[in-house]
Amino acid sequence: MQLVTVKKKNFADYRQFIEKETEFELDFLVQRLKGKKIAMINATAYGGGVAEKLHSMVPLMKDMGVDVDWWTILGHEEFYNITKNFHNCLQGQEGNLTSSNIETYLKYNKMNASYMKDWHYDFIVIHDPQPAALIEFREKGEHEKWIWRCHIDTSTPNMEYWDFLYKFIVQYDAAIFTMPDYVKEGADLKNITFITPSIDPLSMKNIPLEKEEARAITCRFGVDTGRPLISQVSRFDPWKDPLGVIDVYKIVKKDFPSVQLALIGSMASDDPEGWDYLYRTLRRAGEDYDIKVVTNFNGISDLEVNAFQTASDIILQKSLREGFGLTVAESLWKGTPVIGGNVGGIKLQIEDGVTGYLVNTVEECAQKVLTLLRNPVLADDMREAAREKVRKEFLVTKNIQVYLRLFYQLSFPEHGFQKAQDQN
Ligand code: UDP
C-alpha cells in the first residue's frame, strides 16, 4: 500500500464559488469531525476520473482541517487484467469469473490488507472493486467505519461477478453510488448515499484560458485553428465509443468539409486493454489527416485537455455506458456545448437543449453536431446555463460537503441517518 503525496491547495481560494450557507455548513462539519481520521483507498494515483478527483478533494479537505490520507493498493499486471474485467463485467459485460481469477484477486487484496495492520482510521473509504475485498482480511477496529464508493453503473451486472463482490460490499457500513439508477435492485447495503463526482475549478485542467491561448495550444497538435473543431476527451475504451465518434465525424464531414476531429485520450496504468482499442481507433480513422488522435504519450496533459475543451466548437462524449463522465462537467464549465450519449451520469449533467444535447445514435449525434455548427448562436445561449449548472452541482466543494455529511451522520448515528442527497 502506498501513500499518495498531494499538492497543497487553499480552501480560501474556493470560497468564491460557494454560497454563504454552504460555507457555514462546511465549517460546522469540519469542527464536529475534529480528531477523526480518514483514509481514501483506490487502485491508482494517476489516470482516470477517480484519481483525478482525489487529487483535488484530498488536499482541499486537508487544508480545511480534515485529517485525511490517500493510499493506493499495490498490484501487478495479472491483478489489473482481472480488475479490468471486474470493471467491465460489473457494468454488464459477459465473461466468466474463474477460480484462478478469484485467487489472484484475493491474493492481492490480502497482501495489501497486511499493510493496514497498524492503521488507526475512523473512516476507510474504498473506491471501486479493486480494493473492495480488503475488508475481508482486516480485523476491523471497534469504531472503524468502512465505506464503499462505487464509481460505476452496477444496475445490470454480470451476476457471477456481482455475487462474488456482494459478499464483501455487504460488510461495509455505507455505500456510495453516483446515482440511484446505478444500484443493483435488491442490493441490501447499509446507508446508501449518492454523490456525483466533481471538478476542480482551479486545477490546471479547468482554470480559465483565453480562446486564443487555447487555440495556440491545439495548433501544436496540428489543428487548423481557422476551421471548426469537434473533440472527445476520453480513454480508448469500447464504452466511450471512439469508433462511433469517428463515424459521426464522417457523416458531418460530408455536409461540413472543413470540420476537424480530435480524439484526446489518456492511457492509464491499470488499463491494459486501452492500447488495443487505441489501435482499433487509429485503424478506423485511416488516412484522414483531419482526425487527430493524441494521448499523454505525445504531449497531452492537463493544460492541453483544458485547451481542447476550451478551443473546440463542440465537445462530444458519445459514451454507450458511463459512470459519470467528468469530461462533460469540465467542458460545460468552459462554456463549450457538449453532445453526450444519453446514458448514466451524462444525463445528470446535460439538460437536453439547455446545456447541450443528449443523443442515442451516431446519426442523431451527427445531426446535433450539424445543428450547432450551422447555428453558433445556439451554443452562446447554452453557455451560461451550463456554467451555472456545474457551479451549483458539480464542483469539488459540493463533493466534499456530501462526504463530510456522511462522515458526520456515521459518527453521530443518534442524529439519524439521512441520505445526503435529501438534504440539498
Ligand atoms: N483525461 C485526461 N487526459 C486525457 C483523457 C482524459 O486528463 O487524455 C481526464 C479527463 O479530463 C477526465 C478524466 O480523465 O477528468 C476521465 O474521467 P471520466 O469520468 O470522463 O471517465 P473515466 O475515465 O473515469 O471513465
Side-chain angles (χ1 to χ4, degrees):
M1 199 89 83
Q2 205 150 21
L3 192 63
V4 180
T5 312
V6 290
K7 284 199 189 119
K8 186 171 166 38
K9 287 187 188 287
N10 295 316
F11 178 62
D13 298 338
Y14 291 75
R15 292 194 185 257
Q16 61 177 304
F17 301 113
I18 53 181
E19 276 126 26
K20 267 277 162 282
E21 61 192 270
T22 309
E23 270 191 275
F24 286 137
E25 186 188 347
L26 287 173
D27 292 340
F28 166 82
L29 290 169
V30 169
Q31 281 311 316
R32 296 308 303 267
L33 291 167
K34 275 268 169 309
K36 304 277 185 199
K37 281 173 70 77
I38 298 149
M40 299 272 175
I41 304 178
N42 80 321
T44 171
Y46 294 97
V50 178
E52 173 80 23
K53 185 154 45 65
L54 289 172
H55 271 294
S56 82
M57 201 170 75
V58 170
L60 260 185
M61 283 171 115
K62 277 179 188 287
D63 190 63
M64 291 165 80
V66 179
D67 190 350
V68 55
D69 290 325
W70 171 15
W71 297 86
T72 54
I73 51 170
L74 299 173
H76 294 118
E77 202 180 335
E78 57 167 354
F79 175 67
Y80 291 125
N81 283 333
I82 290 166
T83 56
K84 178 76 192 170
N85 272 344
F86 266 77
H87 183 96
N88 290 334
C89 292
L90 285 166
Q91 300 205 94
Q93 187 176 289
E94 286 182 14
N96 293 107
L97 183 57
T98 64
S99 51
S100 99
N101 286 352
I102 291 178
E103 205 178 298
T104 308
Y105 175 76
L106 293 178
K107 179 178 84 183
Y108 281 95
N109 269 271
K110 187 172 182 185
M111 185 262 288
N112 279 288
S114 68
Y115 286 89
M116 301 168 78
K117 247 194 341 270
D118 300 319
W119 277 24
H120 297 287
Y121 285 102
D122 297 281
F123 299 102
I124 296 182
V125 184
I126 301 290
H127 292 262
D128 278 341
Q130 299 96 328
L134 287 175
I135 197 166
E136 183 78 3
F137 302 106
R138 162 93 175 149
E139 220 162 286
K140 206 168 164 238
E142 201 189 331
H143 297 295
E144 201 171 279
K145 300 263 188 267
W146 283 62
I147 299 159
W148 188 54
R149 170 58 168 120
C150 176
H151 293 270
I152 55 179
D153 174 356
T154 59
S155 53
T156 50
N158 173 322
M159 287 308 291
E160 215 176 313
Y161 281 80
W162 174 256
D163 287 342
F164 174 71
L165 190 76
Y166 189 67
K167 291 194 299 248
F168 308 118
I169 56 176
V170 80
Q171 299 177 39
Y172 283 69
D173 299 286
I176 305 174
F177 291 85
T178 298
M179 53 202 240
D181 288 359
Y182 285 8
V183 187
K184 167 92 181 66
E185 218 180 276
D188 190 15
L189 304 173
K190 288 182 221 89
N191 296 326
I192 295 182
T193 299
F194 303 105
I195 301 183
T196 64
S198 59
I199 65 162
D200 183 339
L202 297 179
S203 68
M204 190 55 91
K205 194 178 289 180
N206 296 310
I207 46 159
L209 282 182
E210 293 296 333
K211 274 258 191 243
E212 276 321 303
E213 195 183 353
R215 288 195 182 117
I217 293 171
T218 62
C219 189
R220 295 208 309 260
F221 295 89
V223 171
D224 176 350
T225 54
R227 289 158 51 200
L229 173 66
I230 54 180
S231 304
Q232 174 159 300
V233 178
S234 265
R235 287 181 291 111
F236 291 95
D237 177 298
W239 297 123
K240 305 284 185 186
D241 201 21
L243 304 182
V245 169
I246 293 176
D247 296 344
V248 168
Y249 157 85
K250 286 181 175 165
I251 296 173
V252 172
K253 186 86 174 164
K254 286 187 201 137
D255 282 23
F256 228 95
S258 60
V259 75
Q260 305 164 91
L261 171 69
L263 289 166
I264 318 297
S266 64
M267 311 305 294
S269 56
D270 66 342
D271 186 19
E273 278 176 8
W275 289 98
D276 288 343
Y277 220 73
L278 169 66
Y279 299 137
R280 284 188 66 173
T281 305
L282 288 167
R283 281 195 292 272
R284 179 73 61 104
E287 294 215 354
D288 185 334
Y289 289 95
D290 280 342
I291 305 179
K292 318 288 173 194
V293 180
V294 279
T295 73
N296 45 331
F297 282 79
N298 49 359
I300 293 288
S301 74
D302 289 355
L303 178 65
E304 290 74 19
V305 167
N306 187 340
F308 273 94
Q309 288 171 336
T310 305
S312 295
D313 296 276
I314 298 167
I315 289 286
L316 300 184
Q317 189 53 59
K318 220 204 119 332
S319 305
L320 302 171
R321 198 137 192 197
E322 187 57 76
F324 181 68
L326 273 173
T327 50
V328 174
E330 289 162 7
S331 307
L332 292 176
W333 181 243
K334 286 150 195 145
T336 308
V338 183
I339 302 175
N342 189 13
V343 291
I346 297 177
K347 291 190 289 185
L348 296 179
Q349 302 178 70
I350 297 183
E351 281 178 48
D352 196 31
V354 180
T355 61
Y357 291 112
L358 290 169
V359 294
N360 295 295
T361 62
V362 163
E363 290 69 28
E364 201 185 340
C365 187
Q367 284 319 311
K368 294 298 183 200
V369 171
L370 284 167
T371 303
L372 282 173
L373 288 179
R374 287 177 182 140
N375 306 287
V377 66
L378 275 179
D380 287 338
D381 291 346
M382 288 175 170
R383 227 174 288 283
E384 257 326 290
R387 267 186 77 84
E388 191 55 8
K389 171 112 184 136
V390 176
R391 191 190 67 76
K392 283 204 175 118
E393 296 179 40
F394 305 121
L395 295 187
V396 59
T397 39
K398 176 74 190 182
N399 217 272
I400 291 174
Q401 181 184 22
V402 184
Y403 264 105
L404 295 184
R405 282 177 183 171
L406 175 62
F407 298 147
Y408 177 73
Q409 287 157 358
L410 290 173
S411 302
F412 303 99
E414 65 275 16
H415 294 179
F417 186 82
Q418 205 180 346
K419 283 180 184 162
Q421 64 161 19
D422 295 342
Q423 300 190 344
N424 290 332

